[in-house]
Structures are given as C-alpha cells and as structure tokens.
Amino acid sequence: MAKAMTMSYEAGENLYINVTNRCPCACTFCIRNNGDGAYGSDPLWLEHEPSMEEMQADLAKRDMSKYKDIVFCGYGEPLMRLDYVCALAAWLRETYPGIRLRLNTNGLADLYNAEEASAEGTSAAARTAPLFDKISISLNGGTTEVYNRVTRPRGGGEAPYETMLRYAETCKALGTDVMFTVVDVISPEEIAQAQAKADAVGIPLDVREYVG
C-alpha cells in the first residue's frame, strides 16, 4: 500500500497546505536542498498533485478552527496551480466562515503559470488578492542582479523580477495585506538594498534567518 501523501502539516499555530512540488525557481536557500520536509513534517514530496476531493477530505479530518492561519505553502510554488489554489481558497472561505488565509508565493504566476484553464486576460494578482487575508512574496533582493543570483528563476533576465514586483504592487493596490521577504543569505548591503526597494513601493519587509 502506498504511503499517504502529506497534503497538509502543522507548524506552530498554523496549518500549511501542500498543493504541488513544481517550482520555476531554484533558490539558493530552498529548504528542499536540506531535507524532505519542513518544521518537522513528514516528507512533503507528493506522489501526485492532490485533487480537490483529496484535499477537501484531508482538511475535513482537522479541527480548522484551532489554527491562526491556513497557509498555502508546501514543497513547491502554490501558484503553479493558480486555478486550483483559487478554487480551494474559495471553498475554504465558504466552508469555514471567518477563516484566515495566507499565501506564500514567489509572485511569478503571470510569467510561469502552467494552468491552461486560467482566466484569460486576468492577472494572478486580481484573482488571488480578494481570496487571501495576507500574501507573503519572495523579494529576495533589491536589484534584478541579486534577485537572479539568489532565486535562479527559469530563463533569468529582467522579466521575473519585474513580474514579481508588479504582482506585489497590484495585490497591495487591491487592498490585500502584502509582505515582502528576503533570506539573510545575502550581504547586509544587499539587505539594505532590498529594504530600500520595499520602502519605495510601501510594502513591509521581513528578513528571515536561513535555516540550513
């Protein structure tokens, strides 16, 4: 019998939802470089991407009222399944009124999203911002050069950094609580550059400690 997949896992007061292992980046600080799980979870590598029915059944086993936040953040970039994430977030809001939803994302869905069924002509920000109470976006650097060195997005160039910034600014303009993050694998001077970039667009920056 195949071992059950880890579609959700607890960390502190929050519940994390693992929807995909796909990601268009290869960040130098990625937790996948150091193990198979996060925060003491079971392995997060998925045998297949969970269906809506599988995820709903998994979440139905939990007392959802006890969590501070339900966080879309697993072992991949959630918005590689943009349509799925939007549908699941809408279902959570309907099924568990008053629930707090958070999205951790690289903000690159408009550039790399693989969902053919995504709403044509509608940006990822316009679709996700109304569904989430908070969106945490990986800034990773104050310049394109630093960002590409640390994030290593597929294809490189200027497009990923510009796409990420546009996603963040649009979410903020739509009234969602938005936060940038960087990991302290970059120098103090580069962190200062990132802070300046965040300040310029009026989005708070959280400097996270690298966990190796």
Side-chain angles (χ1 to χ4, degrees):
M1 179 179 297
K3 186 176 181 180
M5 297 193 301
T6 305
M7 291 178 275
S8 63
Y9 59 99
E10 296 179 337
E13 299 179 295
N14 301 328
L15 181 71
Y16 287 72
I17 298 179
N18 184 30
V19 304
T20 185
N21 291 154
R22 288 183 287 150
C23 185
C25 302
C27 297
T28 58
F29 56 81
C30 183
I31 59 173
R32 303 197 307 189
N33 298 331
N34 305 316
D36 293 331
Y39 308 114
S41 72
D42 290 331
L44 295 175
W45 294 111
L46 297 166
E47 293 179 357
H48 61 269
E49 293 183 337
S51 67
M52 187 66 67
E53 293 73 21
E54 287 175 313
M55 186 64 76
Q56 289 171 345
D58 181 79
L59 297 177
K61 300 174 185 176
R62 297 183 178 275
D63 177 5
M64 301 294 280
S65 66
K66 75 176 187 178
Y67 301 112
K68 179 182 176 183
D69 287 344
I70 310 300
V71 187
F72 284 67
C73 176
Y75 239 38
E77 165 52 44
L79 295 191
M80 291 301 286
R81 303 186 71 189
L82 176 60
D83 294 334
Y84 181 93
V85 165
C86 290
L88 181 57
W91 174 81
L92 283 164
R93 288 237 176 264
E94 180 179 355
T95 307
Y96 305 99
I99 201 168
R100 274 185 51 86
L101 299 181
R102 189 175 95 209
L103 171 66
N104 291 0
T105 179
N106 58 29
L108 299 177
D110 287 327
L111 187 61
Y112 296 124
N113 175 44
E115 290 285 348
E116 295 180 1
S118 296
E120 184 175 353
T122 304
S123 72
R127 297 187 63 193
T128 55
L131 292 169
F132 289 90
D133 298 286
K134 187 167 189 173
I135 299 180
S136 177
I137 302 163
S138 301
L139 178 64
N140 288 347
T143 66
T144 300
E145 292 73 24
V146 174
Y147 177 85
N148 283 345
R149 187 187 80 232
V150 173
T151 307
R152 299 186 294 195
R154 187 170 66 228
E158 296 183 0
Y161 194 60
E162 293 173 352
T163 298
M164 176 271 297
L165 291 174
R166 183 168 59 251
Y167 176 82
E169 292 180 67
T170 304
C171 286
K172 179 178 183 291
L174 290 171
T176 303
D177 184 8
V178 180
M179 177 179 72
F180 278 137
T181 64
V182 297
V183 179
D184 62 1
V185 294
I186 59 179
S187 70
E189 293 76 17
E190 290 166 340
I191 290 175
Q193 287 179 330
Q195 185 67 65
K197 175 65 72 173
D199 291 344
V201 296
I203 296 176
L205 177 70
D206 179 37
V207 180
R208 295 165 44 213
E209 181 180 359
Y210 174 67
V211 179

